[in-house]
Amino acid sequence: MKQIYGITYPNNKIYIGKDLTGTLAYFGSVDSKYVEVDFSEDQRKRFSIIKEILWESETAEDSEVNKKEVEYIKLYRSNEPSIGYNKWPKV
């Protein structure tokens, strides 16, 4: 199952990613250094994130999934630093 997912961090910032295999424990390739600056040492010791499947398909080609990922990044504006952790497409 190919999926587009959103991850919400405790500060309500989001990251949108894709998973071409539908792996439950896959949480994407967000740049951890980019995220870490938003959390104190104490906050980093324990926090929860929420992963939500936003779109999925058993038949989509990888190119369609890639387009969907960009579509959802723009829809959720997760590439805006005040809203999310996606670094592209640039705003």
Side-chain angles (χ1 to χ4, degrees):
M1 182 70 70
K2 297 178 183 185
Q3 301 172 327
I4 302 298
Y5 59 85
I7 293 177
T8 304
Y9 289 84
N11 59 1
N12 287 320
K13 284 191 178 183
I14 57 177
Y15 175 79
I16 304 295
K18 68 177 175 234
D19 182 354
L20 300 176
T21 63
T23 305
L24 176 65
Y26 182 67
F27 291 97
S29 56
V30 65
D31 183 341
S32 64
K33 290 186 186 341
Y34 195 51
V35 176
E36 287 172 0
V37 299
D38 285 339
F39 296 94
S40 69
E41 285 296 322
D42 283 342
Q43 290 172 320
R44 293 181 202 180
K45 291 179 181 176
R46 180 182 175 139
F47 69 90
S48 299
I49 61 172
I50 297 169
K51 180 179 178 181
E52 177 182 7
I53 304 304
L54 305 172
W55 177 89
E56 61 186 357
S57 174
E58 291 182 352
T59 59
E61 297 290 330
D62 290 358
S63 61
E64 181 182 354
V65 180
N66 294 338
K67 288 178 187 173
K68 282 287 183 190
E69 181 183 24
V70 173
E71 179 183 317
Y72 276 90
I73 289 169
K74 289 178 179 179
L75 176 67
Y76 283 88
R77 298 174 36 211
S78 62
N79 57 338
E80 295 179 24
S82 64
I83 295 173
Y85 293 116
N86 290 91
K87 291 185 174 181
W88 65 270
K90 295 287 184 191
V91 280

Coordinates of all heavy atoms in Angstrom, one line a residue:
M1 N 0.8 -1.2 0.0 CA 0.0 0.0 0.0 C 0.9 1.2 0.0 O 1.8 1.4 0.8 CB -0.9 0.0 1.2 CG -1.8 1.1 1.3 SD -3.2 1.1 0.2 CE -4.1 -0.3 0.8
K2 N 0.7 2.1 -0.9 CA 1.4 3.4 -1.0 C 0.6 4.4 -0.3 O -0.6 4.5 -0.4 CB 1.6 3.8 -2.4 CG 2.5 2.7 -3.1 CD 2.8 3.0 -4.6 CE 3.6 1.9 -5.2 NZ 3.9 2.1 -6.6
Q3 N 1.3 5.3 0.5 CA 0.6 6.2 1.4 C 1.3 7.6 1.4 O 2.5 7.7 1.3 CB 0.6 5.7 2.8 CG -0.1 4.3 2.9 CD 0.1 3.7 4.3 OE1 1.1 3.9 5.0 NE2 -0.9 2.9 4.8
I4 N 0.4 8.6 1.7 CA 0.9 9.9 2.0 C 0.4 10.1 3.5 O -0.7 9.8 3.8 CB 0.2 11.0 1.2 CG1 0.5 10.8 -0.3 CG2 0.6 12.4 1.7 CD1 2.0 10.9 -0.7
Y5 N 1.3 10.5 4.4 CA 1.0 10.6 5.8 C 1.4 11.9 6.3 O 2.2 12.6 5.7 CB 1.7 9.5 6.6 CG 3.2 9.6 6.4 CD1 4.0 10.4 7.2 CD2 3.9 8.8 5.5 CE1 5.3 10.5 7.1 CE2 5.3 8.9 5.3 CZ 6.0 9.8 6.1 OH 7.3 9.9 5.9
G6 N 0.8 12.3 7.4 CA 1.2 13.5 8.1 C 1.6 13.1 9.5 O 1.0 12.2 10.1
I7 N 2.6 13.7 10.0 CA 3.1 13.5 11.3 C 2.9 14.9 12.1 O 3.4 15.9 11.6 CB 4.6 13.1 11.4 CG1 4.7 11.7 10.8 CG2 5.1 13.1 12.8 CD1 6.0 11.1 10.7
T8 N 2.3 14.8 13.2 CA 2.1 16.0 14.0 C 2.9 15.9 15.3 O 2.8 14.9 16.0 CB 0.6 16.2 14.4 OG1 -0.2 16.2 13.2 CG2 0.4 17.5 15.2
Y9 N 3.8 16.9 15.5 CA 4.6 16.9 16.7 C 3.9 17.7 17.8 O 2.9 18.3 17.6 CB 5.9 17.6 16.3 CG 6.8 16.8 15.4 CD1 6.6 16.8 14.0 CD2 7.8 16.0 15.9 CE1 7.3 16.0 13.2 CE2 8.5 15.1 15.1 CZ 8.3 15.2 13.7 OH 9.0 14.4 12.9
P10 N 4.5 17.6 19.1 CA 3.8 18.2 20.2 C 3.6 19.7 20.1 O 2.7 20.2 20.7 CB 4.7 17.9 21.4 CG 5.5 16.7 21.0 CD 5.6 16.8 19.5
N11 N 4.4 20.4 19.3 CA 4.2 21.8 19.1 C 3.3 22.1 18.0 O 3.1 23.2 17.5 CB 5.6 22.4 18.8 CG 6.3 21.9 17.6 OD1 5.7 21.0 16.9 ND2 7.5 22.3 17.3
N12 N 2.6 21.1 17.5 CA 1.6 21.2 16.4 C 2.1 21.5 15.0 O 1.4 21.7 14.1 CB 0.4 22.1 16.7 CG -0.5 21.6 17.8 OD1 -0.8 20.4 17.8 ND2 -0.9 22.4 18.7
K13 N 3.5 21.4 14.9 CA 4.1 21.5 13.6 C 3.9 20.2 12.9 O 3.9 19.1 13.6 CB 5.5 21.9 13.6 CG 5.7 23.4 13.9 CD 7.2 23.8 13.7 CE 7.4 25.2 13.9 NZ 8.9 25.6 13.6
I14 N 3.9 20.2 11.6 CA 3.6 18.9 10.9 C 4.7 18.6 9.8 O 5.4 19.5 9.4 CB 2.2 19.0 10.2 CG1 2.2 20.2 9.2 CG2 1.1 19.0 11.2 CD1 0.9 20.3 8.4
Y15 N 4.7 17.4 9.5 CA 5.6 16.9 8.4 C 4.8 16.0 7.5 O 4.1 15.1 8.0 CB 6.8 16.1 9.0 CG 7.7 15.5 7.9 CD1 8.6 16.3 7.2 CD2 7.6 14.2 7.6 CE1 9.4 15.7 6.3 CE2 8.4 13.6 6.6 CZ 9.3 14.4 6.0 OH 10.1 13.8 5.0
I16 N 4.8 16.2 6.2 CA 4.1 15.4 5.3 C 5.1 14.5 4.5 O 6.2 15.0 4.1 CB 3.3 16.2 4.3 CG1 2.3 17.2 5.0 CG2 2.6 15.3 3.2 CD1 1.2 16.6 5.7
G17 N 4.9 13.2 4.4 CA 5.8 12.4 3.7 C 5.0 11.3 3.0 O 3.8 11.2 3.0
K18 N 5.8 10.5 2.3 CA 5.3 9.3 1.5 C 5.9 8.0 2.0 O 7.1 8.0 2.4 CB 5.4 9.6 0.0 CG 6.9 9.5 -0.4 CD 7.0 9.6 -1.9 CE 8.5 9.7 -2.2 NZ 8.9 10.8 -3.0
D19 N 5.2 7.0 1.8 CA 5.7 5.6 2.1 C 5.2 4.8 1.0 O 4.0 4.6 0.7 CB 5.1 5.1 3.4 CG 5.6 3.8 3.8 OD1 6.4 3.1 3.0 OD2 5.3 3.3 4.9
L20 N 6.2 4.2 0.2 CA 5.8 3.4 -0.9 C 5.6 2.0 -0.6 O 5.3 1.2 -1.5 CB 6.9 3.5 -2.0 CG 7.2 4.9 -2.5 CD1 8.4 5.0 -3.5 CD2 5.9 5.5 -3.2
T21 N 5.7 1.6 0.7 CA 5.5 0.2 1.1 C 4.4 0.0 2.2 O 4.1 -1.1 2.5 CB 6.8 -0.4 1.7 OG1 7.2 0.4 2.8 CG2 7.9 -0.3 0.7
G22 N 3.9 1.1 2.7 CA 2.9 1.0 3.7 C 3.3 0.5 5.1 O 2.6 -0.3 5.7
T23 N 4.6 0.8 5.5 CA 5.1 0.2 6.7 C 4.6 1.0 7.9 O 4.8 2.2 8.0 CB 6.7 0.3 6.6 OG1 7.1 -0.3 5.4 CG2 7.3 -0.3 7.8
L24 N 4.1 0.3 8.8 CA 3.5 1.0 10.0 C 4.5 1.9 10.8 O 4.2 3.0 11.2 CB 2.9 -0.1 11.0 CG 2.4 0.5 12.3 CD1 1.1 1.3 12.0 CD2 2.0 -0.7 13.2
A25 N 5.7 1.4 11.0 CA 6.6 2.1 11.8 C 7.5 3.1 11.0 O 8.5 3.6 11.6 CB 7.5 1.1 12.5
Y26 N 7.2 3.3 9.8 CA 8.0 4.3 9.0 C 7.5 5.7 9.3 O 6.3 6.0 9.2 CB 7.9 4.0 7.5 CG 8.7 5.0 6.7 CD1 10.1 4.9 6.7 CD2 8.1 5.9 5.9 CE1 10.9 5.8 6.0 CE2 8.9 6.8 5.1 CZ 10.3 6.7 5.2 OH 11.0 7.6 4.4
F27 N 8.4 6.6 9.7 CA 8.1 7.9 10.1 C 8.8 9.0 9.3 O 8.9 10.1 9.7 CB 8.4 8.2 11.6 CG 7.4 7.4 12.5 CD1 7.8 6.2 13.0 CD2 6.2 7.9 12.8 CE1 7.0 5.4 13.8 CE2 5.3 7.1 13.6 CZ 5.7 5.9 14.1
G28 N 9.3 8.6 8.1 CA 9.8 9.5 7.2 C 11.2 9.9 7.4 O 12.0 9.4 8.2
S29 N 11.6 10.9 6.6 CA 13.0 11.3 6.6 C 13.2 12.8 7.0 O 13.9 13.5 6.4 CB 13.7 11.1 5.2 OG 12.9 11.7 4.2
V30 N 12.3 13.2 7.9 CA 12.4 14.6 8.4 C 13.8 14.8 9.0 O 14.4 13.9 9.6 CB 11.3 14.9 9.4 CG1 11.5 14.1 10.7 CG2 11.2 16.3 9.8
D31 N 14.3 16.0 8.8 CA 15.6 16.4 9.3 C 15.6 16.6 10.8 O 15.0 17.6 11.2 CB 16.1 17.7 8.5 CG 17.5 18.1 8.9 OD1 18.0 17.7 10.0 OD2 18.1 18.9 8.2
S32 N 16.1 15.7 11.5 CA 16.0 15.8 13.0 C 16.6 17.0 13.6 O 16.1 17.6 14.6 CB 16.6 14.5 13.6 OG 18.0 14.5 13.4
K33 N 17.7 17.5 13.0 CA 18.3 18.8 13.5 C 17.3 20.0 13.3 O 17.3 20.9 14.1 CB 19.6 19.1 12.8 CG 20.7 18.1 13.2 CD 22.0 18.5 12.6 CE 23.1 17.5 12.7 NZ 23.1 16.6 13.7
Y34 N 16.5 19.9 12.3 CA 15.5 20.9 12.0 C 14.4 20.9 13.0 O 13.9 21.9 13.4 CB 15.0 20.7 10.6 CG 14.2 21.8 9.9 CD1 14.7 23.1 9.8 CD2 13.0 21.5 9.3 CE1 14.0 24.1 9.2 CE2 12.2 22.5 8.7 CZ 12.7 23.8 8.6 OH 12.0 24.7 8.0
V35 N 14.0 19.7 13.5 CA 13.0 19.5 14.5 C 13.5 19.9 15.9 O 12.8 20.5 16.7 CB 12.4 18.1 14.4 CG1 11.4 17.9 15.5 CG2 11.8 17.8 13.1
E36 N 14.7 19.4 16.2 CA 15.3 19.5 17.5 C 15.4 20.9 18.1 O 15.2 21.1 19.3 CB 16.6 18.8 17.6 CG 16.6 17.3 17.5 CD 18.0 16.7 17.4 OE1 19.0 17.4 17.3 OE2 18.0 15.4 17.3
V37 N 15.6 21.9 17.2 CA 15.7 23.3 17.7 C 14.4 23.8 18.3 O 14.5 24.7 19.1 CB 16.1 24.2 16.5 CG1 17.5 23.8 16.0 CG2 15.1 24.3 15.4
D38 N 13.3 23.1 18.0 CA 12.0 23.6 18.6 C 11.7 23.0 20.0 O 10.7 23.3 20.6 CB 10.9 23.2 17.7 CG 10.8 24.1 16.4 OD1 11.4 25.3 16.5 OD2 10.2 23.7 15.4
F39 N 12.6 22.1 20.5 CA 12.3 21.4 21.7 C 13.5 21.5 22.7 O 14.7 21.4 22.3 CB 12.0 19.9 21.5 CG 10.8 19.7 20.6 CD1 10.9 19.6 19.3 CD2 9.6 19.6 21.3 CE1 9.7 19.4 18.5 CE2 8.4 19.5 20.5 CZ 8.5 19.4 19.1
S40 N 13.2 21.8 23.9 CA 14.3 21.8 25.0 C 14.8 20.4 25.2 O 14.2 19.4 24.8 CB 13.7 22.4 26.2 OG 12.8 21.5 26.8
E41 N 15.9 20.4 26.0 CA 16.4 19.1 26.4 C 15.4 18.2 27.1 O 15.3 17.1 26.9 CB 17.7 19.3 27.2 CG 18.9 19.7 26.4 CD 19.4 18.7 25.4 OE1 19.4 17.5 25.7 OE2 19.8 19.1 24.3
D42 N 14.7 18.9 28.0 CA 13.7 18.1 28.8 C 12.5 17.7 27.9 O 12.1 16.5 28.0 CB 13.1 19.0 29.9 CG 14.0 19.1 31.1 OD1 15.0 18.2 31.2 OD2 13.9 20.0 31.9
Q43 N 12.1 18.5 27.0 CA 11.0 18.1 26.1 C 11.4 17.0 25.2 O 10.6 16.2 24.8 CB 10.6 19.3 25.2 CG 9.9 20.4 26.0 CD 9.7 21.6 25.1 OE1 10.5 22.0 24.4 NE2 8.5 22.2 25.3
R44 N 12.7 16.9 24.8 CA 13.2 15.8 24.0 C 13.2 14.4 24.6 O 13.3 13.4 24.0 CB 14.6 16.1 23.5 CG 14.7 17.3 22.6 CD 16.1 17.5 22.2 NE 16.4 18.9 21.7 CZ 17.5 19.3 21.3 NH1 18.6 18.5 21.3 NH2 17.6 20.6 21.0
K45 N 13.2 14.4 25.9 CA 13.3 13.1 26.7 C 12.0 12.3 26.5 O 12.1 11.1 26.6 CB 13.6 13.4 28.1 CG 15.0 13.9 28.3 CD 15.4 14.2 29.7 CE 16.8 14.8 29.8 NZ 17.2 15.1 31.2
R46 N 10.9 12.9 26.4 CA 9.7 12.2 26.2 C 8.6 13.0 25.5 O 8.2 14.1 26.0 CB 9.1 11.7 27.6 CG 7.9 10.9 27.4 CD 7.3 10.5 28.8 NE 6.0 9.9 28.6 CZ 5.7 8.8 29.2 NH1 6.5 8.3 30.1 NH2 4.5 8.3 29.0
F47 N 8.2 12.6 24.3 CA 7.1 13.2 23.7 C 6.5 12.3 22.7 O 7.0 11.3 22.3 CB 7.5 14.6 23.0 CG 8.4 14.4 21.8 CD1 7.9 14.3 20.5 CD2 9.8 14.5 21.9 CE1 8.7 14.2 19.4 CE2 10.6 14.4 20.8 CZ 10.1 14.2 19.6
S48 N 5.2 12.6 22.3 CA 4.5 11.8 21.4 C 4.2 12.5 20.1 O 4.1 13.7 20.1 CB 3.1 11.4 22.0 OG 3.3 10.7 23.2
I49 N 4.2 11.7 19.0 CA 3.9 12.2 17.7 C 2.7 11.4 17.3 O 2.4 10.3 17.7 CB 5.0 12.2 16.7 CG1 5.5 10.7 16.5 CG2 6.2 13.0 17.2 CD1 6.5 10.6 15.4
I50 N 1.9 12.0 16.3 CA 0.8 11.4 15.8 C 1.0 11.2 14.3 O 1.4 12.2 13.6 CB -0.5 12.2 16.0 CG1 -0.8 12.4 17.5 CG2 -1.7 11.6 15.2 CD1 -1.9 13.4 17.8
K51 N 0.8 10.0 13.8 CA 1.0 9.7 12.4 C -0.4 9.4 11.9 O -1.2 8.6 12.4 CB 1.9 8.5 12.1 CG 2.0 8.1 10.7 CD 2.9 6.9 10.5 CE 3.1 6.5 9.0 NZ 3.9 5.3 8.9
E52 N -0.8 10.1 10.8 CA -2.1 10.0 10.2 C -2.0 9.7 8.7 O -1.2 10.4 8.0 CB -2.9 11.3 10.4 CG -4.3 11.3 9.8 CD -5.0 12.6 10.0 OE1 -4.4 13.6 10.5 OE2 -6.2 12.7 9.6
I53 N -2.6 8.7 8.2 CA -2.6 8.4 6.8 C -3.6 9.4 6.1 O -4.8 9.4 6.4 CB -3.0 6.9 6.5 CG1 -2.1 6.0 7.2 CG2 -3.0 6.7 5.0 CD1 -0.6 6.2 7.0
L54 N -3.1 10.2 5.2 CA -3.9 11.2 4.5 C -4.5 10.7 3.2 O -5.5 11.1 2.7 CB -3.1 12.4 4.3 CG -2.5 13.1 5.5 CD1 -1.6 14.2 5.2 CD2 -3.6 13.5 6.5
W55 N -3.8 9.8 2.6 CA -4.1 9.2 1.3 C -3.4 7.9 1.1 O -2.3 7.8 1.6 CB -3.7 10.2 0.2 CG -3.9 9.8 -1.2 CD1 -5.0 10.0 -2.0 CD2 -3.0 9.1 -2.1 NE1 -4.9 9.5 -3.2 CE2 -3.6 8.9 -3.3 CE3 -1.7 8.6 -1.9 CZ2 -3.0 8.3 -4.4 CZ3 -1.1 8.0 -3.0 CH2 -1.7 7.8 -4.2
E56 N -4.1 7.0 0.4 CA -3.4 5.7 0.1 C -4.0 5.1 -1.1 O -5.1 5.4 -1.5 CB -3.5 4.7 1.3 CG -4.9 4.3 1.7 CD -4.9 3.5 3.0 OE1 -3.8 3.1 3.5 OE2 -6.0 3.1 3.4
S57 N -3.1 4.2 -1.8 CA -3.5 3.6 -3.0 C -2.8 2.3 -3.1 O -1.6 2.2 -2.8 CB -3.3 4.5 -4.2 OG -3.5 3.8 -5.4
E58 N -3.4 1.3 -3.6 CA -2.8 0.0 -3.9 C -2.3 0.0 -5.3 O -1.5 -0.9 -5.7 CB -3.8 -1.2 -3.7 CG -4.1 -1.4 -2.2 CD -5.0 -2.6 -2.0 OE1 -5.5 -3.2 -3.0 OE2 -5.2 -3.0 -0.9
T59 N -2.8 0.9 -6.2 CA -2.5 0.8 -7.6 C -1.7 2.0 -8.2 O -1.3 1.9 -9.3 CB -3.8 0.7 -8.4 OG1 -4.6 1.8 -8.1 CG2 -4.5 -0.6 -8.0
A60 N -1.5 3.0 -7.4 CA -0.8 4.2 -7.9 C 0.6 3.9 -8.3 O 1.3 3.2 -7.6 CB -0.9 5.3 -6.8
E61 N 1.1 4.6 -9.3 CA 2.5 4.5 -9.7 C 3.3 5.4 -8.8 O 2.7 6.4 -8.2 CB 2.6 5.0 -11.2 CG 1.9 4.2 -12.2 CD 2.6 2.8 -12.4 OE1 3.8 2.7 -12.2 OE2 1.9 1.8 -12.7
D62 N 4.6 5.2 -8.6 CA 5.4 6.0 -7.8 C 5.3 7.5 -8.2 O 5.3 8.4 -7.3 CB 6.8 5.5 -7.8 CG 7.0 4.2 -7.1 OD1 6.0 3.6 -6.6 OD2 8.2 3.7 -7.1
S63 N 5.3 7.8 -9.5 CA 5.2 9.2 -9.9 C 3.9 9.8 -9.4 O 4.0 11.0 -9.1 CB 5.3 9.2 -11.4 OG 4.2 8.5 -12.0
E64 N 2.8 9.1 -9.4 CA 1.6 9.7 -8.8 C 1.7 10.0 -7.3 O 1.3 11.0 -6.8 CB 0.4 8.8 -9.1 CG -0.9 9.3 -8.6 CD -2.1 8.4 -8.8 OE1 -2.0 7.3 -9.4 OE2 -3.2 8.7 -8.2
V65 N 2.3 9.1 -6.6 CA 2.6 9.3 -5.2 C 3.4 10.5 -4.9 O 3.2 11.3 -4.0 CB 3.2 8.0 -4.5 CG1 3.4 8.2 -3.0 CG2 2.3 6.8 -4.8
N66 N 4.5 10.6 -5.7 CA 5.3 11.8 -5.6 C 4.6 13.1 -5.8 O 4.7 14.1 -5.1 CB 6.5 11.7 -6.6 CG 7.4 10.6 -6.4 OD1 7.5 10.1 -5.2 ND2 8.2 10.2 -7.4
K67 N 3.7 13.1 -6.8 CA 2.8 14.3 -7.1 C 1.9 14.6 -5.9 O 1.7 15.7 -5.5 CB 2.0 14.1 -8.4 CG 2.9 14.3 -9.6 CD 2.1 14.0 -10.8 CE 3.0 14.0 -12.1 NZ 2.3 13.6 -13.3
K68 N 1.3 13.5 -5.4 CA 0.4 13.6 -4.2 C 1.1 14.2 -3.0 O 0.5 15.0 -2.3 CB -0.2 12.2 -3.9 CG -1.3 11.8 -4.8 CD -2.6 12.7 -4.5 CE -3.7 12.2 -5.4 NZ -4.9 13.2 -5.3
E69 N 2.4 13.7 -2.8 CA 3.1 14.2 -1.7 C 3.3 15.8 -1.7 O 3.0 16.5 -0.8 CB 4.5 13.6 -1.6 CG 5.3 14.0 -0.4 CD 6.7 13.5 -0.4 OE1 7.2 13.1 -1.5 OE2 7.3 13.4 0.7
V70 N 3.6 16.3 -2.9 CA 3.8 17.7 -3.1 C 2.4 18.4 -2.9 O 2.3 19.5 -2.3 CB 4.4 18.0 -4.5 CG1 4.4 19.5 -4.7 CG2 5.8 17.5 -4.5
E71 N 1.4 17.8 -3.4 CA 0.0 18.3 -3.3 C -0.4 18.5 -1.8 O -0.9 19.6 -1.4 CB -0.9 17.4 -4.0 CG -2.4 17.8 -4.0 CD -3.3 16.7 -4.6 OE1 -2.9 16.2 -5.7 OE2 -4.3 16.4 -4.0
Y72 N -0.1 17.5 -1.0 CA -0.4 17.6 0.4 C 0.5 18.5 1.2 O 0.0 19.2 2.1 CB -0.4 16.2 1.0 CG -1.8 15.4 0.8 CD1 -2.0 14.7 -0.3 CD2 -2.8 15.6 1.7 CE1 -3.2 14.0 -0.6 CE2 -4.0 14.9 1.5 CZ -4.2 14.2 0.3 OH -5.4 13.6 0.1
I73 N 1.7 18.6 0.8 CA 2.6 19.6 1.4 C 2.1 21.0 1.2 O 2.0 21.8 2.1 CB 4.1 19.4 0.9 CG1 4.7 18.1 1.4 CG2 4.9 20.6 1.3 CD1 6.0 17.8 0.8
K74 N 1.7 21.3 0.0 CA 1.1 22.6 -0.3 C -0.2 22.8 0.4 O -0.5 23.9 0.9 CB 1.0 22.8 -1.8 CG 2.3 22.9 -2.5 CD 2.2 23.0 -4.0 CE 3.5 23.2 -4.7 NZ 3.3 23.3 -6.2
L75 N -1.0 21.8 0.4 CA -2.4 21.9 1.0 C -2.2 22.2 2.5 O -2.9 23.1 3.0 CB -3.1 20.6 0.8 CG -4.5 20.5 1.5 CD1 -5.5 21.5 0.9 CD2 -5.1 19.1 1.4
Y76 N -1.4 21.5 3.2 CA -1.2 21.7 4.6 C -0.1 22.8 5.0 O 0.0 23.1 6.1 CB -0.7 20.4 5.3 CG -1.9 19.4 5.5 CD1 -2.2 18.5 4.5 CD2 -2.6 19.4 6.7 CE1 -3.3 17.6 4.6 CE2 -3.7 18.5 6.8 CZ -4.0 17.6 5.8 OH -5.1 16.8 6.0
R77 N 0.5 23.3 3.9 CA 1.5 24.3 4.1 C 2.7 23.9 5.0 O 3.3 24.7 5.7 CB 0.9 25.6 4.5 CG -0.1 26.2 3.5 CD -0.9 27.3 3.9 NE -0.2 28.3 4.7 CZ -0.8 29.1 5.7 NH1 -2.1 28.9 5.9 NH2 -0.1 29.9 6.4
S78 N 3.0 22.6 5.0 CA 4.0 22.1 5.9 C 5.4 22.5 5.5 O 6.4 22.2 6.2 CB 3.9 20.6 6.0 OG 4.1 20.0 4.8
N79 N 5.6 23.2 4.4 CA 6.9 23.7 3.9 C 7.1 25.1 4.4 O 8.1 25.7 4.1 CB 7.0 23.6 2.4 CG 5.9 24.3 1.7 OD1 4.8 24.6 2.2 ND2 6.2 24.6 0.4
E80 N 6.1 25.7 5.1 CA 6.3 27.0 5.8 C 6.9 26.8 7.1 O 6.2 26.1 8.0 CB 5.0 27.7 5.8 CG 4.4 28.1 4.5 CD 3.1 28.8 4.5 OE1 2.8 29.5 5.6 OE2 2.3 28.7 3.5
P81 N 8.0 27.3 7.5 CA 8.7 27.0 8.7 C 7.9 27.2 10.0 O 8.1 26.5 11.0 CB 9.9 27.9 8.7 CG 10.2 28.1 7.2 CD 8.9 28.2 6.6
S82 N 6.9 28.1 9.9 CA 6.1 28.3 11.1 C 5.0 27.3 11.3 O 4.4 27.2 12.3 CB 5.4 29.7 11.1 OG 4.5 29.8 10.0
I83 N 4.8 26.5 10.2 CA 3.7 25.5 10.2 C 4.3 24.0 10.3 O 3.7 23.2 10.9 CB 2.8 25.7 9.0 CG1 2.1 27.0 9.2 CG2 1.8 24.5 8.9 CD1 1.3 27.4 8.0
G84 N 5.4 23.8 9.5 CA 5.8 22.4 9.4 C 7.3 22.3 9.2 O 8.1 23.3 9.2
Y85 N 7.7 21.0 9.0 CA 9.1 20.7 8.8 C 9.5 20.2 7.4 O 10.7 19.8 7.2 CB 9.4 19.6 9.8 CG 9.4 20.0 11.3 CD1 8.4 19.5 12.2 CD2 10.2 21.0 11.7 CE1 8.4 20.0 13.5 CE2 10.2 21.5 13.0 CZ 9.2 20.9 13.9 OH 9.2 21.4 15.2
N86 N 8.7 20.3 6.4 CA 9.1 20.0 5.1 C 9.9 21.2 4.6 O 9.6 22.3 4.7 CB 7.9 19.8 4.2 CG 7.2 18.5 4.5 OD1 6.2 18.5 5.3 ND2 7.6 17.4 3.8
K87 N 11.1 20.8 4.0 CA 12.0 21.9 3.4 C 11.7 22.2 2.0 O 12.3 23.1 1.4 CB 13.4 21.4 3.6 CG 13.8 21.4 5.1 CD 15.3 21.1 5.2 CE 15.8 21.2 6.6 NZ 17.2 21.0 6.7
W88 N 10.9 21.4 1.3 CA 10.6 21.6 -0.1 C 9.1 21.3 -0.3 O 8.5 20.5 0.5 CB 11.5 20.8 -1.0 CG 11.3 19.3 -0.8 CD1 11.9 18.5 0.0 CD2 10.3 18.5 -1.5 NE1 11.4 17.2 -0.1 CE2 10.5 17.2 -1.0 CE3 9.4 18.7 -2.5 CZ2 9.7 16.1 -1.4 CZ3 8.6 17.7 -2.9 CH2 8.8 16.4 -2.4
P89 N 8.5 21.7 -1.4 CA 9.0 22.7 -2.3 C 9.2 24.1 -1.5 O 8.4 24.3 -0.6 CB 8.0 22.8 -3.4 CG 6.7 22.2 -2.8 CD 7.1 21.3 -1.7
K90 N 10.1 24.8 -1.9 CA 10.4 26.1 -1.3 C 9.2 27.0 -1.4 O 8.5 27.0 -2.5 CB 11.6 26.8 -1.9 CG 12.9 26.0 -1.7 CD 13.4 26.1 -0.3 CE 14.7 25.4 -0.1 NZ 15.1 25.3 1.3
V91 N 9.0 27.8 -0.4 CA 7.9 28.8 -0.4 C 8.3 30.1 -0.9 O 9.5 30.4 -0.9 CB 7.2 29.0 0.9 CG1 6.2 27.9 1.2 CG2 8.2 29.1 2.0

